[in-house]
Amino acid sequence: MPFVALSKLIFIFFISIILSHVLVTKALNQTTNIGVIIDESSRAGKEQKTAIETAVQKLNLRSKDHKLAIHFKNSSGDPLEAASSAKDLIDKQNVRVVIGTSSWEETTLVAKIGQDAQIPVISLTPDTLQPLSRLKWPFLVQMTNLDMSDEINCITSIVQSYNWTRVIAVYEENAYGGEYGALPLLSEELQKIGSIVEHRVVLPHFTSPFDPKETIRDELVEVLTTKQSRVFIVLKSSLPTATRVFEEAHKQGLMSQDSVWIIGDSISSFLDSINPSVFRFVQGALGIKTYYPNKNTQFLDFESNFKKTFRSNYPEEDKLEPEIYALRAYDSIETISRALKHLENSNDTDVGFSKKLLDTILSSNFTGLTGQIAFQDEKLSDPHKFQLVNIIGKSYKELGFLSPKKGFSNIGLGDNRSLTQVAINWPGDLINIVPKGQAMPNNATKMKIGVPNAASFDGLVKVEWNESTKKNDYSGLCIAVFESVVATLEEKYDYTLPYEFVNYTGSYDDMVKEVYKDYDAIVGDVTILAHRSRYVEFTQPFTESGLSMVVPVKSEPERAWMFMRPFTAEMWLATFGILFYTMFVVWYMEHQVNQEFRGPWKDQLGTALWFTFSSIFFSHREKIRSNHSKVVVMIWFFVVFILTTSYTAGLTSMLTVRVLEPTVRDIEWLRKTNAPVGCDPDSFVCKYLTDVLKLKNIKNISLLNEYPDNFKNGTISAAFLELPYEKFFLKQYCNEYTAVGPSYQFGGLGFVFPKDSLIANNVSEAILYLLEEGKIRDLENELLNNFKNCSTSNPGLDSERFSLANFWGIFLISGLTSTLSFLIFLYRLLHNRIEQRIISFNESNGSRWNNENRWRKTVRLIQIVLSLNHDQVESRESSHSTHEWSHQNPPQWELVSPSGVPEHLDTQLEIPMKKMEYIGEDLQRE
């Protein structure tokens, strides 16, 4: 018994040792099953499988006590197959995590199965439907930080940068990319920037039993023949379907210079691995590509291992570079591995293990290949960044970065230019020339263009019935401008605009509103007004617009004072002023030396006046003695010559040309007298006169040629016409009417199109081109030449009169000359008089002047100046007076009267002054 008991104990001991060894071995070699569901037929699936194998191989080599076992399932892109594969993996393979799925449809079904089995599901698709995913599928983890709106916002920012107003959305037929996914978001964001989705190109899934090529061709032909927009936005599509779209678009000519292609991330993420032959179909397209760092050591090490495995698994593939799908798959395995290592002491068979694993995965925080791996709301929290690329040749050029909030930036590429400043190769080999993003459809129906049937003036718009053709003929300036616009669009922009005119008989406001219903556009004399702009889109104005008052003119009656009209009142005052000033200067200077300007003051005044007025006609008889006076008179003769010739020319013109005056001067007279005024009842003018100008007595006159009769019979006193009508009216009725008062400005005449019309932008651009080239001005001149020429462009204005502004220069010269001569003469006169007194003082006092000091000389000099009498000329006998300071002139300096000097000695009258200078020099030498 003891032996038996001992044997049992030994047996139990060995069994315990063996069991403990088995348990330890099992703990040291723990393996976790992971299920992977991918579409192995797609490029993304191939990259994901290779990346997962590369990650598992690396992690299993690095970990000695814990291994990962991968179980792959092929969904072939079928959501139901993906769901079935997920159930098999959970039930049969006992997987603890399911990763993969290539679309949101697959993800939702697999997430539902994972939710039922309490198994975490890690989605590698970039498609998200936050916040619904977190509420409906709490065991779903997304290895992406994208919302669906992120990519849409980036696309919208591109459209806004170039002001494209209409786009065509291209997407593959599925629940995500269609009506309930990206399209509503795109439409909403475009509306915020004033753009719309004009058309949708719905593509069949590449697994569709119908012929995808035939469907794609039909869709693109419809765009080519019926739609104007050429901005194509490829939202969501598989690579095979997108490739067929590009190929067919290239065949149909939708990759021309008018087109723009913006490719979403679902296609751009394969640009590094796509077949080079595909690039030739999509040259010049812009791509939005998920950005990831590809220069660090971690990525380069992964890339090297990935290429080796990928080449071994898929030798038929030419491109070996990994894309974002491979990086996400690698990071998902890294995330699971780190979470399992954190739970290495937990038993994976426990009921709560899956929840712990999910929580640990969501608490991850490390740097992976795609960036920072940290989760918030079951998706990556690291802000995402897109790259904007331009497809050129067999590759692409990186233009910069796009973010949902900040839009475009290329600071990381070395500068900070905006998107419009970046050099882009557009479709059709356009370089640095932004495509218009629109073209006229090939089979577009003719535009129905309304034309006013009863325009006020047929020079602008004329509609008349042609018996030979049984159709209406349309002519006038507005029609000619529109025809030139159409020709410019076709010649310069290769833009065909088919159209037909239809006449309209209602008011202009009603005609504008008909653009909503019956017309595609309106061509006519339509004024651009604020209340009309609320309903329609106006082009650039092709002629100025405004409102002015036109009134008849009358001949100026004969006037008795007509001879005064050549000069203005200021001119007459200035003329008489300079005349009297010149008379005074000449009289004063001649009075000192000329006997003819002496005598009683009445005689002197008469002589001066007679001399001055007679000099106007160059008929004076008085001789000028002083050289200073001669200079003044010479300049005065020049002034007289200018004035007389100008006066003669002005008066002659006034007497020979009929002067016309307006019958009404201003609008205030109309208000006070309540005089009747005429206007066009179909335009806005009558309402403007009533509401703004406060005129009450208004007569409706429909046609421009009815105004003359209404003026003549007194029905109206004034007419209010828009500027284009006024221009034609005044040209037609020369010298009979004139425009008076202020002009009230408006927006000009323009063509009318529906709101958000692409054609309106093209027509505006053509109008600006015609204005810059002067072709519209030539059209106006050509139409104006049909009327008789007027002798004056504004007969209502008075003939031009001469004002002071025309002659102030010559008046200034004359005045300065007279003043300067007078000052020089006065200085010399005073100087000689003072020298005479000093000489007389020395003779009487024995050279006493030379012996006095400077202060005494100054006092005596002041006394001499104050005692001078310029108007007194003493006789020779009185000069012998012996009074000390009463001598006016010494005997030897007496001015000789011209009457007592022979004629041949007239030139010696100023000799005494010269002799005084010599004697003054003798005094100084003494």
Side-chain angles (χ1 to χ4, degrees):
M1 288 296 294
F3 178 75
V4 174
L6 182 62
S7 299
K8 290 181 178 180
L9 291 173
I10 294 173
F11 177 75
I12 293 172
F13 175 74
F14 278 107
I15 291 297
S16 300
I17 293 175
I18 292 172
L19 290 174
S20 62
H21 178 72
V22 170
L23 292 174
V24 171
T25 303
K26 183 179 179 181
L28 293 174
N29 297 278
Q30 184 178 359
T31 301
T32 301
N33 295 319
I34 298 176
V36 179
I37 303 174
I38 58 175
D39 179 9
E40 294 188 11
S41 63
S42 66
R43 172 73 188 201
K46 295 176 182 179
E47 290 190 13
Q48 289 170 348
K49 184 177 181 180
T50 303
I52 290 173
E53 291 176 349
T54 303
V56 169
Q57 182 181 6
K58 179 179 179 181
L59 294 173
N60 284 344
L61 289 176
R62 190 170 59 185
S63 177
K64 297 180 179 180
D65 56 354
H66 196 102
K67 304 297 181 179
L68 300 178
I70 306 299
H71 302 273
F72 288 99
K73 287 288 185 177
N74 182 15
S75 68
S76 300
D78 186 354
L80 296 179
E81 184 66 28
S84 176
S85 299
K87 191 169 182 60
D88 287 345
L89 289 171
I90 294 174
D91 294 342
K92 297 178 181 181
Q93 303 298 334
N94 195 27
V95 298
R96 311 309 298 171
V97 181
V98 177
I99 64 175
T101 69
S102 59
S103 67
W104 184 251
E105 291 83 1
E106 295 181 20
T107 301
T108 55
L109 295 178
V110 173
K112 179 65 171 62
I113 295 173
Q115 171 68 20
D116 295 339
Q118 299 289 295
I119 296 297
V121 176
I122 299 179
S123 173
L124 301 180
T125 178
D127 306 338
T128 62
L129 284 175
Q130 294 290 342
L132 297 178
S133 58
R134 184 179 61 175
L135 298 176
K136 295 181 65 175
W137 306 289
F139 274 78
L140 176 63
V141 179
Q142 301 173 72
M143 287 298 297
T144 178
N145 51 4
L146 294 178
D147 279 337
M148 188 168 23
S149 59
D150 292 342
E151 186 176 347
I152 299 299
N153 288 334
C154 293
I155 292 173
T156 305
S157 67
I158 298 175
V159 175
Q160 185 179 21
S161 297
Y162 295 105
N163 296 320
W164 293 314
T165 57
R166 295 189 181 187
V167 304
I168 294 176
V170 182
Y171 57 88
E172 199 169 52
E173 188 176 17
N174 54 57
Y176 178 79
E179 291 290 344
Y180 304 102
L183 183 61
L185 286 176
L186 177 63
S187 299
E188 182 180 351
E189 293 300 321
L190 288 176
Q191 288 178 1
K192 294 178 181 178
I193 63 172
S195 184
I196 62 172
V197 177
E198 182 186 23
H199 184 66
R200 297 172 295 170
V201 176
V202 183
L203 309 173
H205 196 268
F206 72 96
T207 59
S208 173
F210 304 102
D211 184 7
K213 287 188 177 181
E214 190 69 26
T215 305
I216 292 172
R217 183 183 302 111
D218 293 341
E219 289 284 347
L220 294 180
V221 167
E222 181 181 0
V223 172
L224 187 66
T225 57
T226 63
K227 305 303 176 183
Q228 296 182 35
S229 176
R230 293 295 182 268
V231 179
F232 297 89
I233 299 176
V234 183
L235 291 175
K236 297 291 178 180
S237 173
S238 61
L239 184 58
T241 302
T243 302
R244 291 168 183 165
V245 172
F246 300 147
E247 183 178 358
E248 189 61 35
H250 187 270
K251 292 180 181 178
Q252 297 295 335
L254 292 175
M255 291 288 180
S256 63
Q257 293 183 351
D258 296 322
S259 301
V260 177
W261 285 82
I262 302 175
I263 304 172
D265 181 63
S266 62
I267 307 301
S268 300
S269 293
F270 292 106
L271 291 178
D272 288 324
S273 57
I274 199 172
N275 192 316
S277 62
V278 178
F279 281 101
R280 67 187 182 94
F281 299 131
V282 66
Q283 288 293 299
L286 295 178
I288 298 177
K289 186 175 183 292
T290 302
Y291 170 76
Y292 53 86
N294 57 1
K295 303 298 182 183
N296 53 47
T297 304
Q298 184 181 7
F299 176 83
L300 296 176
D301 181 59
F302 163 75
E303 183 182 34
S304 176
N305 295 328
F306 176 88
K307 288 182 177 180
K308 294 177 183 178
T309 306
F310 194 80
R311 184 185 293 110
S312 175
N313 293 341
Y314 307 102
E316 73 278 3
E317 294 286 343
D318 297 328
K319 295 293 188 68
L320 305 179
E321 289 77 9
E323 293 284 0
I324 187 64
Y325 298 99
L327 273 59
R328 290 194 185 114
Y330 185 94
D331 285 343
S332 65
I333 298 298
E334 178 79 14
T335 303
I336 295 172
S337 176
R338 288 173 177 267
L340 291 173
K341 185 176 181 181
H342 186 75
L343 299 173
E344 60 184 357
N345 295 327
S346 301
N347 190 351
D348 61 357
T349 60
D350 293 342
V351 177
F353 179 79
S354 295
K355 186 66 171 64
K356 291 181 180 178
L357 179 60
L358 175 64
D359 294 338
T360 306
I361 290 174
L362 293 177
S363 63
S364 300
N365 191 359
F366 67 95
T367 301
L369 294 177
T370 57
Q372 190 68 25
I373 306 299
F375 295 91
Q376 182 179 0
D377 298 331
E378 286 77 41
K379 70 172 185 176
L380 292 180
S381 60
D382 188 31
H384 190 73
K385 188 181 292 184
F386 288 104
Q387 272 188 306
L388 182 63
V389 297
N390 186 202
I391 298 177
I392 304 174
K394 295 182 179 181
S395 184
Y396 60 87
K397 178 178 67 174
E398 297 177 351
L399 300 178
F401 297 102
L402 283 171
S403 64
K405 295 182 179 180
K406 297 182 179 179
F408 177 81
S409 64
N410 55 357
I411 299 176
L413 300 180
D415 55 42
N416 57 355
R417 291 176 293 172
S418 63
L419 180 57
T420 55
Q421 296 175 317
V422 176
I424 298 178
N425 291 62
W426 297 99
D429 297 326
L430 281 181
I431 301 177
N432 295 330
I433 300 177
V434 180
K436 298 176 68 65
Q438 55 185 315
M440 201 63 193
N442 291 347
N443 297 334
T445 58
K446 289 185 177 181
M447 295 180 59
K448 187 178 179 181
I449 299 179
V451 178
N453 186 55
S456 299
F457 180 55
D458 55 13
L460 294 176
V461 179
K462 184 178 182 181
V463 182
E464 56 184 353
W465 179 256
N466 191 325
E467 287 292 341
S468 60
T469 61
K470 301 300 180 181
K471 295 181 180 179
N472 285 322
D473 290 336
Y474 300 88
S475 59
L477 176 63
C478 299
I479 303 299
V481 171
F482 183 76
E483 291 174 348
S484 299
V485 166
V486 174
T488 301
L489 290 175
E490 186 171 356
E491 176 184 354
K492 188 174 179 60
Y493 303 104
D494 194 22
Y495 190 100
T496 303
L497 188 66
Y499 65 92
E500 61 177 354
F501 290 130
V502 179
N503 56 312
Y504 183 82
T505 57
S507 68
Y508 279 66
D509 284 338
D510 293 338
M511 180 174 59
V512 169
K513 293 179 181 178
E514 288 296 323
V515 174
Y516 277 113
K517 303 174 184 178
D518 298 332
Y519 299 122
D520 298 313
I522 293 176
V523 171
D525 51 338
V526 183
T527 303
I528 302 174
L529 299 175
H531 74 274
R532 293 175 179 174
S533 298
R534 292 197 296 265
Y535 309 106
V536 296
E537 187 86 18
F538 281 98
T539 64
Q540 288 287 333
F542 55 87
T543 185
E544 62 179 344
S545 180
L547 188 65
S548 62
M549 183 172 64
V550 175
V551 298
V553 293
K554 60 182 179 180
S555 298
E556 184 180 21
E558 299 296 333
R559 294 181 178 179
W561 298 94
M562 176 65 72
F563 69 91
M564 297 290 292
R565 291 183 62 80
F567 289 166
T568 62
E570 294 82 1
M571 181 64 184
W572 281 116
L573 291 176
T575 301
F576 282 110
I578 195 69
L579 184 147
F580 285 114
Y581 180 69
T582 304
M583 176 193 72
F584 168 75
V585 171
V586 171
W587 166 79
Y588 185 86
M589 291 188 295
E590 288 300 310
H591 173 73
Q592 308 298 326
V593 296
N594 195 337
Q595 185 64 33
E596 296 183 21
F597 287 84
R598 294 179 182 172
W601 68 269
K602 293 182 179 180
D603 294 343
Q604 296 182 40
L605 179 61
T607 301
L609 287 174
W610 171 253
F611 172 80
T612 305
F613 280 98
S614 61
S615 64
I616 296 177
F617 308 99
F618 305 100
S619 59
H620 57 285
R621 298 180 178 180
E622 293 79 7
K623 293 184 178 180
I624 302 300
R625 306 294 182 179
S626 172
N627 291 332
H628 302 285
S629 300
K630 291 178 181 179
V631 173
V632 173
V633 172
M634 178 182 64
I635 299 300
W636 171 246
F637 284 164
F638 181 71
V639 174
V640 167
F641 174 76
I642 296 296
L643 293 178
T644 53
T645 53
S646 300
Y647 176 85
T648 302
L651 184 60
T652 303
S653 175
M654 290 181 178
L655 293 176
T656 56
V657 177
R658 185 167 61 103
V659 180
L660 304 176
E661 284 188 340
T663 57
V664 178
R665 286 289 181 178
D666 53 45
I667 197 172
E668 288 298 329
W669 183 87
L670 295 176
R671 291 196 187 101
K672 293 178 180 178
T673 60
N674 196 29
V677 298
C679 67
D680 183 5
D682 294 329
S683 69
F684 71 97
V685 176
C686 291
K687 182 175 176 59
Y688 185 84
L689 296 181
T690 304
D691 298 344
V692 180
L693 299 184
K694 306 301 181 183
L695 297 177
K696 299 179 180 180
N697 195 356
I698 298 175
K699 306 295 182 181
N700 294 330
I701 302 176
S702 299
L703 300 178
L704 201 65
N705 55 17
E706 295 178 356
Y707 283 96
D709 292 336
N710 283 273
F711 275 122
K712 290 177 181 178
N713 58 31
T715 305
I716 59 174
S717 299
F720 283 86
L721 304 176
E722 295 181 68
L723 290 183
Y725 302 131
E726 175 209 309
K727 184 186 300 183
F728 282 91
F729 184 79
L730 295 181
K731 190 71 176 179
Q732 187 174 9
Y733 298 97
C734 299
N735 298 333
E736 298 180 34
Y737 302 92
T738 186
V740 297
S743 177
Y744 306 94
Q745 297 297 321
F746 297 100
L749 300 185
F751 303 133
V752 184
F753 289 89
K755 278 287 187 181
D756 302 320
S757 172
L758 295 177
I759 300 177
N761 296 332
N762 297 330
V763 173
S764 293
E765 188 174 346
I767 289 174
L768 292 175
Y769 171 77
L770 293 174
L771 288 171
E772 293 170 1
E773 295 294 321
K775 295 183 179 180
I776 293 181
R777 183 184 65 250
D778 295 340
L779 288 175
E780 290 183 354
N781 294 334
E782 180 181 350
L783 293 172
L784 283 175
N785 288 336
N786 293 331
F787 304 107
K788 57 186 178 180
N789 293 323
C790 298
S791 59
T792 176
S793 59
N794 196 349
L797 296 177
D798 292 338
S799 300
E800 185 176 0
R801 303 169 67 187
F802 295 113
S803 65
L804 182 60
N806 303 115
F807 297 96
W808 69 268
I810 191 65
F811 285 168
L812 180 64
I813 294 174
S814 176
L816 290 177
T817 303
S818 299
T819 302
L820 185 61
S821 298
F822 176 74
L823 293 176
I824 294 175
F825 179 84
L826 188 61
Y827 168 77
R828 297 188 63 181
L829 181 63
L830 292 176
H831 183 268
N832 291 335
R833 294 286 180 87
I834 292 171
E835 283 188 346
Q836 293 175 22
R837 289 298 183 89
I838 293 173
I839 294 172
S840 177
F841 175 78
N842 281 334
E843 289 178 352
S844 303
N845 297 277
S847 300
R848 181 181 174 185
W849 173 270
N850 296 331
N851 299 325
E852 292 183 344
N853 55 28
R854 293 182 178 180
W855 171 250
R856 187 60 181 172
K857 288 181 179 180
T858 302
V859 173
R860 291 190 181 278
L861 186 60
I862 294 174
Q863 292 176 347
I864 292 174
V865 173
L866 294 177
S867 64
L868 291 177
N869 183 358
H870 299 292
D871 295 329
Q872 180 179 358
V873 179
E874 295 185 358
S875 62
R876 180 185 300 268
E877 289 79 12
S878 63
S879 63
H880 296 286
S881 175
T882 58
H883 295 93
E884 184 177 355
W885 296 107
S886 61
H887 303 325
Q888 292 291 338
N889 284 312
Q892 60 269 36
W893 310 126
E894 180 181 6
L895 297 178
V896 181
S897 173
S899 59
V901 180
E903 184 176 356
H904 67 277
L905 296 179
D906 285 348
T907 57
Q908 304 298 323
L909 288 176
E910 294 191 78
I911 290 178
M913 292 187 180
K914 296 180 181 180
K915 293 176 66 176
M916 284 189 283
E917 294 178 0
Y918 298 148
I919 296 179
E921 293 177 0
D922 295 339
L923 289 175
Q924 291 178 1
R925 285 194 296 268
E926 293 177 1

